[in-house]
Amino acid sequence: MNERATSRRPAERLAEGLLRACAGLTLLVGGALAIVFAQGVWSFMAGGGVQIANGAGVAPLLAGTALTAGIALAVAAPLGVLAAIYLSELAAPRVRAALRPALEVLAGVPTLVYGFLALELVTPLLQGVMPGLAPYNALAPGVVIGVMITPLVAALAEDAFRAVPPALREAALALGADRLATFRQVVLPPALPGVVAALLLALARAVGETMVVALAAGAEPRLTLDPRVPVETLSGYLVHAGRDGAAAPPIFAAGAVLLLCALSLGAAGRFVQRRVRSGA
Amino acid sequence: MRVVTRRRWPERAFHALCLGAALLPLLAVLGLLGALLGRAAVATAPAGEAVGAAAALAAGLGTSLLLVALTALLALPVGVGAALYVAEVAPQSRLARFVAAHIDRLTVVPTVIYGLAGVLLFVRIAGRGQALLAGALTLAAVVLPVVVHSTRRALATVPAGVREAAVALGGTPWQVLRSVVLPMALPGIIAGAVAVIARALGTTAPLLLLGAADGLGALPVLIHDWATHPEPAFAANAAAGIVVLLGMLFILDTLAIMLRDRGSRDREGIR
C-alpha cells in the first residue's frame, strides 16, 4: 500500500491538490452567505428590524410572504402530486418520456418572465372574474408561483412513489384490487413522508421566490390575509428597497429573516426525506 | 386475452384527473407565452420608439453575454473540479462529505440573498466601478451549487461495470478517472454547463440589488425596468425583451439537449 502511495507521480498529486482546492473554494459561497446573515442579525439587533419597510417592521412582510407562498402551495400541491401519480403509476412509458422533459422546461423559464406574465396577463385575466382585484395583489403572483413550482413537486413526489417496490403493486393487483385501490392502500402510505418532504422543499422555493412577487404583488407592506389587495413580501422588499437605495441596515435585517425562513423549510424537508430513506 | 376489458368509472375519472393535472401547467404557460408574443409584436410596430428599444435590447444582450461568459469562466472550473473531488477523487473524505452537505443546503437559498452578498462583499472584492466583475462574481456564487450538482449527475451516469473493467485491466484510480470516467461523462458535464449558462442569463434579482450601486444594464435588468416603468407603453418593450431572452435560452437548451443525446449515443456503442 505504502509503495503505491509513494509511486504516484507528482502530476497526480498536483491534480488532486487542485481538485481539493476547488472543493474548498465552494465553501466560500457558504462563508459569504454566513457574513450576510451575521450582518443581518446585527442590523436587526441594532434596531434595523423596526426600520424595515419605512417603519412598518418585519410582520407585514412575513404576512405577505406567508400569503403568496400559501396560495402557491395550494395550487402546486394538488397539481404536482396528481401529476406525479400520473407519471409514476398511470402514464404509458412513451407519454412519460415526453411529459417529464416538458415539465423540466417549465421549471427552466426565468422567474422574471413568470413575474411579467403575472403582472401583465394573469392579473387582468383574474380581474375579469373577480372585479375587486387590485392591479397589484397577492393572488396572481401566488397562482403563478404555484404553477412554476408544480414541476418541482411533481418530480420529487414521483421519486417518492417510484421508491415503493413494484412487487407490492403487483401483489395487490394479483389479489384483485383495482389500480385506484392499489395506489391508495399500497403505494400512498409508504410514500407519504416523501410527498411531505416534496411539499416542504417546494414551500421553501415559494418563500424565496422573488421576481414574481417583486413585479406583481405590489410594494405596500400590509398585515392582511386578503389576496385581492397589494402586499409586499420579504423578497419583494429586498428588491424594491435595494433598487432605490444601497446597502442599508434594514435590508440586511429583512434578508436575514428570509434566509432563516428558507433554510429552516429546506432543513425540515431534508429531515423528513432522510427519515424516509433510513426508515424504509 | 385480457380478463378485465373495461375499467370502472372512478378509476377512469382519476386517470383523467391526474393527466389533467400534468397537462394544465404546461398548457397555461404555453397559452400565456403565446399571448406575450402578441404583445411583443406590438412593441416593434410604433416608429421612433422601436428603434430606441431595439438598440437598448442589443446593448443589454451584449452586456448579458459578456457577464455570463465571465460567470462561466469563474464558476465552471471550480464547480466541475469540486464535483470531481467530491464524487470521484476522495468521496469518503471529511472535506468531500462536508462540501456535499454544504452544496445541498445552498440549493434552497433564494437568489436575492446572493445579491446582498454581492453588495456587501463582491463589490468590494472587485473594486468600485468594476460592475461587470462584481456581477460575475455574484452570479458565479448563484450557479456554483448548480454546476456541482449537474456535474455529479453526469459522473453518476458512467456505468459501474465500465469502471470495474478499467480497474480489472490494471488502471490506477487516476488512469480510470482520466481515460475512462471523464471522457464518458464529458458530454453530460458540458450539457450541464450550457444549462447553467442559460440559468445565469435569466437570473435577475441579485443584479437588481447590485444595479443600485453601479448601472450595469444587463438584459434582465432592462426588462425589469421596462416592466415596472410607470408609462404602460413600456410593457410592450419588456415583452419584446422577454422574447429575446427566451430565444437565447431556447438556443442554449437545444444545444444542451443535443450534447446530452450525443453522449448517450456514444455510450451505447460500449455496452
Side-chain angles (χ1 to χ4, degrees), chain A residues 4 8 12 15-16 19-20 22-27 29-33 35-36 39 78-79 82-83 85-86 90 99 102-104 106 108-110 112-114 116-117 119-122 125 147 150 178-180 183 201 204 208 210-211 215 235 238-239 242-243 245-247 251-252 255 258-259 262-263 266 270, chain B residues 7-8 10-11 14-15 17-19 21-26 29 32-33 35-36 39 77-78 81-82 84-85 89 95 98-99 102-106 108-110 112-114 116-117 119-122 141 144 148 172-174 202 204-205 208-209 211-212 220-221 223-225 227-228 235 238-239 242 245-246 249:
Chain A
R4 205 174 126 201
R8 284 179 20 181
E12 288 183 357
E16 180 168 350
L19 295 182
R20 187 189 292 135
C22 287
L25 272 174
T26 63
L27 298 178
V29 177
L33 295 177
I35 293 174
V36 169
Q39 168 83 20
L79 282 182
L82 287 175
I85 295 171
Y86 183 75
L90 305 170
L99 212 50
L103 284 170
E104 267 176 51
L106 216 57
V109 174
L112 172 69
V113 176
Y114 281 113
F116 186 78
L117 293 179
L119 175 66
E120 291 289 329
L121 295 171
V122 176
L125 220 60
V147 170
T150 295
D178 63 12
R179 288 212 282 182
L180 193 54
F183 176 76
L201 290 173
T210 305
M211 290 319 299
L215 285 175
S235 53
L238 291 180
V239 167
R243 195 80 181 124
I251 299 181
F252 284 95
L258 176 61
L259 188 56
L263 283 179
R270 265 194 314 275
Chain B
R7 284 188 234 133
R8 285 184 304 146
E11 192 174 322
F14 185 66
H15 193 128
L17 184 71
C18 292
L19 177 62
L23 287 179
L24 184 66
L26 283 173
V29 173
L32 289 173
L33 287 178
L36 183 91
R39 291 281 182 99
V78 175
L84 282 175
Y85 187 80
V89 177
L95 177 65
F98 189 69
V99 168
H102 165 251
I103 294 287
D104 243 22
R105 248 169 281 268
L106 288 183
V108 294
V109 173
V112 237
I113 303 289
Y114 290 93
L116 291 179
V119 171
L120 195 64
L121 302 167
F122 299 143
L144 193 59
V148 176
T172 67
W174 276 101
T204 315
L208 287 173
L209 291 192
V221 177
I223 295 170
H224 169 267
D225 288 351
T228 52
I242 285 174
L245 179 65
L246 288 179
L249 295 184

Side-chain angles (χ1 to χ4, degrees), chain A:
Chain A
M1 275 328 256
N2 216 354
E3 194 184 13
R4 205 174 126 201
T6 49
S7 72
R8 284 179 20 181
R9 285 182 297 167
E12 288 183 357
R13 266 191 308 219
L14 180 69
E16 180 168 350
L18 275 176
L19 295 182
R20 187 189 292 135
C22 287
L25 272 174
T26 63
L27 298 178
L28 287 181
V29 177
L33 295 177
I35 293 174
V36 169
F37 186 70
Q39 168 83 20
V41 170
W42 189 81
S43 303
F44 206 96
M45 305 234 267
V50 228
Q51 292 171 32
I52 289 175
N54 299 322
V58 78
L61 298 184
L62 269 173
T65 302
L67 182 59
T68 50
I71 295 170
L73 196 66
V75 171
L79 282 182
V81 173
L82 287 175
I85 295 171
Y86 183 75
L87 288 172
S88 96
E89 309 295 318
L90 305 170
R94 273 176 61 190
V95 179
R96 180 173 176 271
L99 212 50
R100 268 190 74 128
L103 284 170
E104 267 176 51
V105 168
L106 216 57
V109 174
T111 62
L112 172 69
V113 176
Y114 281 113
F116 186 78
L117 293 179
L119 175 66
E120 291 289 329
L121 295 171
V122 176
T123 294
L125 220 60
L126 288 173
Q127 275 172 328
V129 200
M130 253 174 115
L133 197 68
Y136 296 101
N137 57 75
L139 185 61
V143 169
V144 168
I145 294 172
V147 170
M148 198 179 92
I149 61 175
T150 295
L152 179 71
V153 176
L156 293 173
E158 192 196 345
D159 288 345
F161 293 139
R162 288 193 163 258
V164 177
L168 292 182
R169 292 187 186 84
E170 286 155 15
L173 292 170
L175 287 172
D178 63 12
R179 288 212 282 182
L180 193 54
T182 305
F183 176 76
R184 217 176 43 223
Q185 294 175 20
V186 176
V187 181
L188 192 57
L192 205 54
V195 175
V196 172
L199 294 179
L200 282 170
L201 290 173
L203 189 60
R205 177 75 64 84
V207 162
E209 172 34 49
T210 305
M211 290 319 299
V212 181
V213 284
L215 285 175
E220 297 171 35
R222 182 171 301 178
L223 197 63
T224 179
L225 287 178
D226 184 353
R228 296 170 306 173
V229 296
V231 293
E232 187 168 43
T233 66
L234 284 164
S235 53
Y237 168 68
L238 291 180
V239 167
H240 299 145
R243 195 80 181 124
D244 296 340
I251 299 181
F252 284 95
V257 176
L258 176 61
L259 188 56
L260 195 65
C261 292
L263 283 179
S264 8
L265 284 169
R270 265 194 314 275
F271 176 74
V272 177
Q273 223 169 23
R274 208 171 312 132
R275 281 198 33 173
V276 180
R277 271 190 217 131
S278 60

Side-chain angles (χ1 to χ4, degrees), chain B residues 57-103:
Chain B
L57 270 182
L61 185 61
T63 308
S64 267
L65 289 178
L66 201 61
L67 185 66
V68 166
L70 200 55
T71 302
L73 215 60
L74 288 166
L76 290 181
V78 175
V80 172
L84 282 175
Y85 187 80
V86 167
E88 301 288 332
V89 177
Q92 295 306 318
S93 68
R94 274 210 353 239
L95 177 65
R97 274 183 289 178
F98 189 69
V99 168
H102 165 251
I103 294 287

